[in-house]
Amino acid sequence: MKTAKILLMTLCSLVVLSCAKNKTYSYQEYGLDCPVKSIKVTTYEASSKFGEVVKGDLKRYENYLAEFNSVGNIITWTQYINDGDIFSVTKHKYNEDDNVTDVSIYDEDWKLEYNQSYEYKGILLVKFTRTFKDTTEEVYVNEIFRDGETIIKETTHHNGELISVVKYNKHDKTGTEWVRYDKDGKELNKGSSILNEDGKVTRYNYNDNDYYEVTWNEKGLPVYLKNAELYNSSYVSSFHYCDDSIFHIEYEYDNKGNWIKQTLFEGELKKPVTISERVIVY
């Protein structure tokens, strides 16, 4: 459960702010060319045998079923410990503009573990609230338009008390630049990103020395990662900075152009790490 919540909390600000300006749907985030009813991903350990990549044991916690609504937004995401035992279930709700309004994570006994809700002014996100056990964080998002430039500020309140302020000095189609301050105005950390023409992050910088890089193919799928990880065969994440990790990713596709097999290799010598197989229901 910890990994799922960390990813959700880490990506929330940048992803939601981006979606407010450039509308995307869940199926696109999963590397799909069109809306589908569901995808089921099963991941195995991989190794090289007689010059060929072969499947090994089933990877725990890296298997899931994602179910979508008619426009291609995810409504239920079920994570499995192995091929059958449920680890967690995540439910999504949307408004009439197809913007997410509620994300709830339940454990295997359907006990609510985590919730994140969103408030909008028109299509513009103005607030999201994170609730985990007895802890509540409220993040207020403000946009100020000045001479054609968009300045964005986030203020985060922990159980009602201001704890941090994030100011975006840049937030446009080419990338972002931001600085986070504590409640007294002292700088805590900073970051920036560079986007390609499709809005994909090609480089993300954190503070002065940490970074990760991503190369995408013509379908918008990651094929090369440096100092980054691939989470659940879909999301690029950066839990570990500057560890000199390198991953290569190769795909096989169905007749609709969506990937049905993904192989992850580590290092420049391309040591096989995992094989993920995806069943798509159209």
Side-chain angles (χ1 to χ4, degrees):
M1 186 65 65
K2 181 179 180 181
T3 301
K5 285 196 287 289
I6 288 176
L7 182 73
L8 183 61
M9 290 186 283
T10 302
L11 296 182
C12 176
S13 299
L14 295 177
V15 170
V16 175
L17 285 171
S18 175
C19 290
K21 287 277 181 199
N22 305 295
K23 188 69 174 180
T24 60
Y25 295 89
S26 301
Y27 75 89
Q28 297 166 303
E29 298 169 2
Y30 282 85
L32 294 160
D33 287 341
C34 59
V36 301
K37 293 181 180 178
S38 67
I39 58 173
K40 185 176 182 180
V41 174
T42 306
T43 299
Y44 303 86
E45 295 178 355
S47 62
S48 180
K49 188 174 183 180
F50 301 117
E52 295 186 0
V53 179
V54 295
K55 293 191 300 186
D57 294 335
L58 195 68
K59 287 279 288 183
R60 292 169 64 86
Y61 303 105
E62 294 190 25
N63 310 289
Y64 64 90
L65 171 68
E67 299 170 275
F68 302 84
N69 62 17
S70 59
V71 299
N73 276 330
I74 190 168
I75 51 176
T76 304
W77 190 85
T78 305
Q79 183 180 16
Y80 298 94
I81 299 175
N82 47 41
D83 199 28
D85 296 329
I86 292 177
F87 178 63
S88 68
V89 178
T90 304
K91 291 285 189 178
H92 297 71
K93 296 179 181 179
Y94 302 86
N95 60 18
E96 62 276 7
D97 294 314
D98 296 321
N99 291 318
V100 63
T101 58
D102 186 272
V103 178
S104 296
I105 301 178
Y106 301 87
D107 65 14
E108 68 276 12
D109 297 319
W110 283 96
K111 179 182 177 181
L112 182 64
E113 291 280 315
Y114 177 85
N115 176 263
Q116 191 153 292
S117 60
Y118 307 80
E119 297 179 19
Y120 300 85
K121 184 177 182 181
I123 63 172
L124 186 66
L125 176 72
V126 294
K127 177 185 175 183
F128 56 90
T129 304
R130 300 185 282 242
T131 303
F132 174 58
K133 294 184 178 179
D134 297 327
T135 299
T136 298
E137 285 190 355
E138 296 179 324
V139 179
Y140 297 85
V141 182
N142 304 299
E143 283 198 340
I144 303 171
F145 297 92
R146 185 178 66 195
D147 297 329
E149 182 182 7
T150 304
I151 308 298
I152 299 178
K153 182 176 74 172
E154 296 177 17
T155 59
T156 301
H157 295 75
H158 182 85
N159 289 342
E161 181 180 354
L162 176 67
I163 59 171
S164 67
V165 176
V166 177
K167 291 185 178 179
Y168 288 80
N169 300 317
K170 176 183 177 182
H171 183 68
D172 58 30
K173 63 181 181 180
T174 65
T176 62
E177 294 178 3
W178 57 267
V179 181
R180 184 184 302 274
Y181 304 89
D182 66 14
K183 63 180 181 180
D184 298 317
K186 180 181 178 181
E187 181 178 314
L188 296 174
N189 44 50
K190 59 185 178 181
S192 64
S193 64
I194 300 174
L195 308 181
N196 64 15
E197 294 180 353
D198 298 321
K200 301 284 190 179
V201 175
T202 58
R203 182 180 174 99
Y204 187 87
N205 301 296
Y206 184 76
N207 290 333
D208 294 324
N209 300 313
D210 298 333
Y211 73 96
Y212 70 83
E213 294 179 347
V214 187
T215 300
W216 309 84
N217 66 11
E218 68 281 356
K219 290 182 172 292
L221 299 173
V223 293
Y224 174 84
L225 308 176
K226 184 174 182 179
N227 299 337
E229 299 174 329
L230 191 64
Y231 176 75
N232 277 335
S233 306
S234 301
Y235 291 99
V236 175
S237 61
S238 55
F239 295 124
H240 306 290
Y241 290 102
C242 285
D243 57 2
D244 296 323
S245 64
I246 292 177
F247 293 99
H248 297 266
I249 310 164
E250 297 179 0
Y251 301 90
E252 295 179 16
Y253 304 91
D254 63 12
N255 58 11
K256 294 184 182 292
N258 291 312
W259 75 262
I260 53 175
K261 183 178 180 180
Q262 177 195 83
T263 306
L264 180 69
F265 300 89
E266 183 177 10
E268 295 298 356
L269 296 180
K270 299 182 70 172
K271 176 185 176 182
V273 179
T274 59
I275 294 174
S276 294
E277 298 177 338
R278 185 163 76 168
V279 177
I280 305 173
V281 178
Y282 289 96

